[in-house]
Amino acid sequence: EAKSRSEKMERKIDDQIAEGNFLAALNDFIQDLATHRVAALMGPCPQMVLVPAVHGTEVVFEERMILGVERVSPFHLYPESLSTRPGDGDFFIRKPIGKDAAEALKMIPGVKEARLEAALQRPRTGNEEIDAELEKQSQGTAGGNSHKADEDHELIYWWHWATQTQIDEFEGKAAPDEDAGEPAESGSSENKSARVAMMGLMLNGIVVKAVPNWDRTGKPNVFATSYRKRSGAFYGKGCAALAQGAQERVNTASRALQNNINMSAQERTVSDTSLLVDPNAMTKTFPGQNIQVHNRTPADTRRAVEVLATPNYTMQLLRARDVIST
């Protein structure tokens, strides 16, 4: 029974990996890690998809929720500037989304519909110049040519230590008017300044969801790992940095191999000009040249020209490179 259950669980996990696009996200993750030394995966990400289903003799498409995994660009991660680990402070993850995905946020529990509608009116980046340009594009260009504004919206997943005043503002609660004579609650000033661990969503610069952090310690639901921890660094030392020394050794062996091949392929000669008819003959050598020498006695075994060959260590260097690279 245990074996049967484990096999069924393996098939279920395989299906979830295939449906959730995990392998493609993992490939992008590895590419980011090798390129930027930082990589990120986000999940599980609930998604509604249409899947075929068989009812009797008919095949129909039904909407079903699957759990996916997404690759997050390293340039879309925003930890607090002085953080050395995710739990040290605020954390933000940026995710550009399309119009349909932005409107679908209303299905998420806790999203304020009024705030969402305000955020959907026009994408805002927080930069006045960019926002003004987007507004200009949405109204059309000069000359009567219509120009469709970019439909991408800026979605931010955030973890933040918010004050009670910020929470009340999001909930739409009016602050007590002390000038009007309304009695203030005891310790209200302290409560307003107290910081509470919150998390939620922000669309186009407008907070559309804010709930207490699931982690009672207030840490973001972000987990960082590395092959080797590095003091004072947020991401630690990844595989690219760890492989740097080995890569340099491989490069050194490869350069030595190339240099040795070049040198051993070049012919070097030494000549005794006193035995040559023309002392300048060695400066005008060419293939098939016949170099004449003086008559010598049988006891004179000297050679007019000696070819010096540079030793070839190609095989030894290849083995050294293979040992270093593995």
Side-chain angles (χ1 to χ4, degrees):
E1 179 65 19
K3 182 179 180 181
S4 175
R5 290 187 179 185
S6 64
E7 291 176 350
K8 292 179 180 179
M9 182 57 66
E10 287 180 3
R11 289 196 295 270
K12 181 177 181 180
I13 293 175
D14 287 340
D15 291 342
Q16 290 178 342
I17 288 176
E19 292 177 344
N21 202 34
F22 176 79
L23 295 180
L26 184 61
N27 287 335
D28 294 337
F29 174 91
I30 295 174
Q31 184 174 355
D32 286 341
L33 191 62
T35 305
H36 307 292
R37 303 186 183 181
V38 178
L41 288 175
M42 182 169 62
C45 304
Q47 302 173 3
M48 300 301 296
V49 298
L50 291 176
V51 296
V54 178
H55 293 284
T57 58
E58 297 182 356
V59 177
V60 298
F61 287 89
E62 298 178 346
E63 194 174 37
R64 183 164 62 89
M65 186 185 73
I66 64 172
L67 298 178
V69 176
E70 299 179 4
R71 165 256 184 186
V72 179
S73 170
F75 301 105
H76 291 171
L77 301 175
Y78 296 90
E80 192 169 338
S81 59
L82 298 179
S83 298
T84 58
R85 57 184 62 84
D88 288 348
D90 297 347
F91 200 94
F92 302 89
I93 299 177
R94 174 177 175 265
K95 180 184 178 183
I97 61 175
K99 181 179 179 181
D100 293 339
E103 293 178 349
L105 293 175
K106 64 181 67 175
M107 301 174 60
I108 298 179
V111 171
K112 296 291 185 180
E113 186 172 352
R115 284 179 165 268
L116 180 60
E117 291 297 331
L120 289 173
Q121 293 299 320
R122 180 172 62 89
R124 294 182 179 273
T125 64
N127 186 304
E128 295 182 359
E129 295 182 0
I130 298 178
D131 289 340
E133 181 63 24
L134 291 175
E135 179 67 23
K136 180 180 178 181
Q137 292 177 2
S138 65
Q139 295 176 357
T141 59
N145 296 327
S146 61
H147 180 87
K148 187 176 181 181
D150 190 359
E151 292 184 349
D152 283 347
H153 296 261
E154 296 289 341
L155 179 65
I156 304 294
Y157 298 85
W158 58 267
W159 291 264
H160 171 63
W161 286 88
T163 63
Q164 189 61 45
T165 302
Q166 293 174 324
I167 298 173
D168 291 343
E169 180 183 355
F170 173 78
E171 296 291 342
K173 298 179 181 179
D177 190 355
E178 297 181 1
D179 295 337
E182 294 186 13
E185 298 179 3
S186 60
S188 60
S189 60
E190 296 180 0
N191 294 335
K192 294 299 180 181
S193 61
R195 301 173 71 224
V196 182
M198 302 289 290
M199 57 181 288
L201 300 172
M202 181 169 62
L203 182 67
N204 300 330
I206 299 177
V207 176
V208 297
K209 178 179 179 180
V211 296
N213 194 337
W214 298 334
D215 191 326
R216 294 189 177 184
T217 64
K219 295 181 179 179
N221 305 118
V222 180
F223 306 95
T225 183
S226 64
Y227 288 91
R228 184 183 301 166
K229 295 297 182 182
R230 181 160 44 185
S231 177
F234 184 86
Y235 297 111
K237 197 170 185 178
C239 61
L242 291 177
Q244 183 175 0
Q247 184 63 49
E248 291 176 351
R249 291 192 294 272
V250 171
N251 293 344
T252 301
S254 299
R255 283 194 298 270
L257 173 63
Q258 182 179 2
N259 293 337
N260 181 255
I261 292 176
N262 291 336
M263 289 187 295
S264 61
Q266 297 175 9
E267 187 179 80
R268 289 170 173 80
T269 60
V270 60
S271 61
D272 186 352
T273 57
S274 65
L275 299 178
L276 296 173
V277 174
D278 183 1
N280 297 321
M282 289 304 300
T283 63
K284 301 177 182 179
T285 59
F286 55 86
Q289 181 182 15
N290 182 21
I291 301 177
Q292 299 176 352
V293 299
H294 289 288
N295 293 327
R296 294 176 295 178
T297 62
D300 189 357
T301 58
R302 293 178 301 165
R303 299 180 61 181
V305 178
E306 291 284 351
V307 178
L308 304 180
T310 302
N312 191 321
Y313 298 106
T314 300
M315 298 307 300
Q316 293 88 333
L317 288 171
L318 281 174
R319 286 195 293 268
R321 187 201 62 178
D322 294 340
V323 170
I324 294 174
S325 61
T326 55

